[in-house]
Amino acid sequence: MARAFLVVMDSVGIGGAPDADAFFNGSVPDTGSNTVGHIAQACAEGRAEEGRSGPLSLPNLVSMGLGAATKLASGLEVASLVGEVTGTWGAATELSRGKDTPSGHWELAGLVVPWEWHYFADVRNSFPPELLAQLAELAGVDGILGNCHAPGTAIIEEFGAEHIATGYPICYTSADSVLQIAAHEVHFGLDRLIELCAKIAPIAHEMKVGRVIARPFVGDAEAGFTRTANRRDFAIELPAPVLSNWVQGAGQRVYAVGKIGDIFSMSGFDELRKGPDETLMRHLDDLIETAENGSLTFANFVEFDSIYGHRRDVSGYARALEWFDAEIGKIMSKLRDGDILVLTADHGNDPTWVGTDHTRERAPVLVHGLGQGRLGLIGFKDVAALVAEHLGVVVPK
């Protein structure tokens, strides 16, 4: 029986979302953003030379159809993304009214988000006083730090020392429907942070906030602070079954790799494997070798987004893409007859764009294992249907 490996390249958008003008970074609409296309242009123009050099080199992704999908999605063609296409490819458009992680992943798994998310819109004093009071009470402290929109690395540098001195958790948000709580693993305690997030999550979810995220870090003011891999996401409960449930319900095994388990609250998954992206690639490689016939492996590689996109690091994003391309080439060579590998994305995060938030873009859909073919312009939901059909699983009406 066939196997399927569905891999989300977090934030690797290809431009062209037809409703991008309704989504903003600050006061600037996302119209014209293009994560892959603009990185390729920057590389070609010598504007991404830190730790790498020259045109963007993605031979495996280009052969799967990345350049063709980028041109289809946005009309943009860059020389380094042009090459012979041997895979099946297309570009997917999202219906859900968000450019966030849950919206993108849920829809890729077959569920259009049926409600409007709650966003903390104010850049300063972002959270309502009653929520802050509940947070402080649950943490057993007199107050919180942050209360603003901020990149995660910047806010722990700003408030890390004060957090250690006071014991107050650092609370922040972004343009996404999210409440993030950062705390020191030693001085505050990792278990205490996870427990705090677990307790506040139902309150946030009642407000239709998509996720509460525990953001543990280590270090000190002198040496600097570093986020650890012990992040934990508490996502709002799914309102209906999705791809993982369909496959598991058919008696077939389902693996989660990376933050997939958190995004779906482990609904429909038999096993979870976590770690930084380099470790996740080893997990994916192991599952290529060991996953049972008929199984689904659903993976997310987050560092494109979390380390490079939000920091607007063009060189770093290019390096990450080139690393991923080399590693995915090794994965492709190990697939069994009948397997498919599907690469896609949940939104964009154009590092050449203004602001630090996600960008509303179409996603590539690149399939290895089906031969050469063209999917054209499809919906995010069609990715779930494609995978389910390959695994012989019925898609609920």
Side-chain angles (χ1 to χ4, degrees):
M1 187 185 295
R3 304 181 300 171
F5 299 86
L6 175 56
V7 177
V8 178
M9 304 177 291
D10 203 298
S11 84
V12 182
I14 53 175
D19 58 356
D21 60 343
F23 295 82
F24 292 81
N25 265 266
S27 61
V28 179
D30 288 341
T31 309
S33 59
N34 190 325
T35 301
V36 169
H38 289 165
I39 291 171
Q41 286 182 325
C43 291
E45 295 166 5
R47 295 185 286 113
E49 296 289 303
E50 296 176 18
R52 61 165 309 284
S53 186
L56 188 64
S57 179
L58 305 175
N60 293 302
L61 294 178
V62 169
S63 71
M64 290 181 73
L66 180 61
T70 302
K71 183 177 180 181
L72 174 64
S74 63
L76 181 63
E77 183 175 78
V78 183
S80 62
L81 299 178
V82 176
E84 182 183 2
V85 177
T86 59
T88 296
W89 61 275
T93 304
E94 184 176 7
L95 293 178
S96 302
R97 293 294 298 169
K99 53 176 181 175
D100 55 88
T101 295
S103 294
H105 282 79
W106 287 12
E107 194 166 326
L108 289 168
L111 175 67
V112 176
V113 178
W115 55 63
E116 292 285 339
W117 296 109
H118 177 82
Y119 298 97
F120 300 107
D122 293 335
V123 174
R124 296 289 172 186
N125 298 316
S126 302
F127 304 111
E130 58 272 20
L131 181 61
L132 295 180
Q134 289 171 305
L135 268 166
E137 181 180 355
L138 290 170
V141 295
D142 295 328
I144 66 102
L145 302 172
N147 190 16
C148 61
H149 283 227
T153 51
I155 202 163
I156 62 173
E157 289 300 326
E158 181 178 356
F159 291 106
E162 187 177 356
H163 161 72
I164 291 172
T166 64
Y168 293 0
I170 304 169
C171 301
Y172 62 105
T173 187
S174 68
D176 288 347
S177 179
V178 63
L179 164 59
Q180 304 196 67
I181 306 177
H184 199 284
E185 286 196 355
V186 177
H187 296 282
F188 189 88
L190 177 60
D191 290 342
R192 183 182 171 198
L193 171 62
I194 299 298
E195 183 180 6
L196 171 60
C197 292
K199 288 179 176 178
I200 200 67
I203 298 169
H205 294 162
E206 187 68 25
M207 300 167 62
K208 289 296 185 284
V209 175
R211 286 178 298 162
V212 174
I213 306 178
R215 289 288 198 173
F217 64 92
V218 294
D220 55 44
E222 184 175 348
F225 298 105
T226 305
R227 295 197 295 191
T228 74
N230 293 319
R231 162 182 173 159
R232 176 80 181 274
D233 292 43
F234 295 85
I236 195 169
E237 185 177 350
L238 291 157
V242 294
L243 176 64
S244 57
N245 305 110
W246 308 340
V247 177
Q248 190 181 62
Q252 295 159 224
R253 194 163 178 83
V254 187
Y255 296 91
V257 177
K259 67 177 186 177
I260 291 293
D262 291 334
I263 295 166
F264 292 94
S265 301
M266 284 303 290
S267 178
F269 293 94
D270 298 295
E271 184 179 325
L272 170 64
R273 303 190 185 192
K274 299 189 75 172
D277 278 8
E278 194 168 319
T279 301
L280 298 183
M281 191 62 76
R282 292 198 295 270
H283 288 317
L284 181 59
D285 182 76
D286 178 64
L287 287 165
I288 293 289
E289 298 284 353
T290 63
E292 299 89 341
N293 288 336
S295 64
L296 167 66
T297 296
F298 197 169
N300 171 284
F301 286 81
V302 72
E303 291 176 6
F304 302 113
D305 183 59
S306 63
I307 296 181
Y308 306 111
H310 286 300
R311 299 182 193 179
R312 296 302 188 245
D313 181 352
V314 181
S315 295
Y317 208 129
R319 291 196 307 272
L321 284 169
E322 290 172 335
W323 168 81
F324 183 86
D325 183 87
E327 294 299 317
I328 214 67
K330 300 172 189 175
I331 294 293
M332 289 161 60
S333 69
K334 296 180 180 181
L335 291 170
R336 301 174 189 167
D337 289 344
D339 289 347
I340 61 167
L341 170 67
V342 183
L343 304 182
T344 188
D346 53 342
H347 50 70
N349 200 343
D350 187 342
T352 73
W353 211 243
V354 297
T356 60
D357 293 322
H358 297 155
T359 43
R360 176 75 166 184
E361 301 180 40
R362 284 180 166 134
V365 182
L366 315 176
V367 189
H368 178 81
L370 295 181
Q372 189 177 34
R374 175 186 166 116
L375 299 169
L377 289 174
I378 62 174
F380 273 36
K381 279 184 66 177
D382 294 322
V383 175
L386 183 154
V387 172
E389 180 181 3
H390 184 74
L391 292 175
V393 172
V394 175
V395 178
K397 297 297 184 182

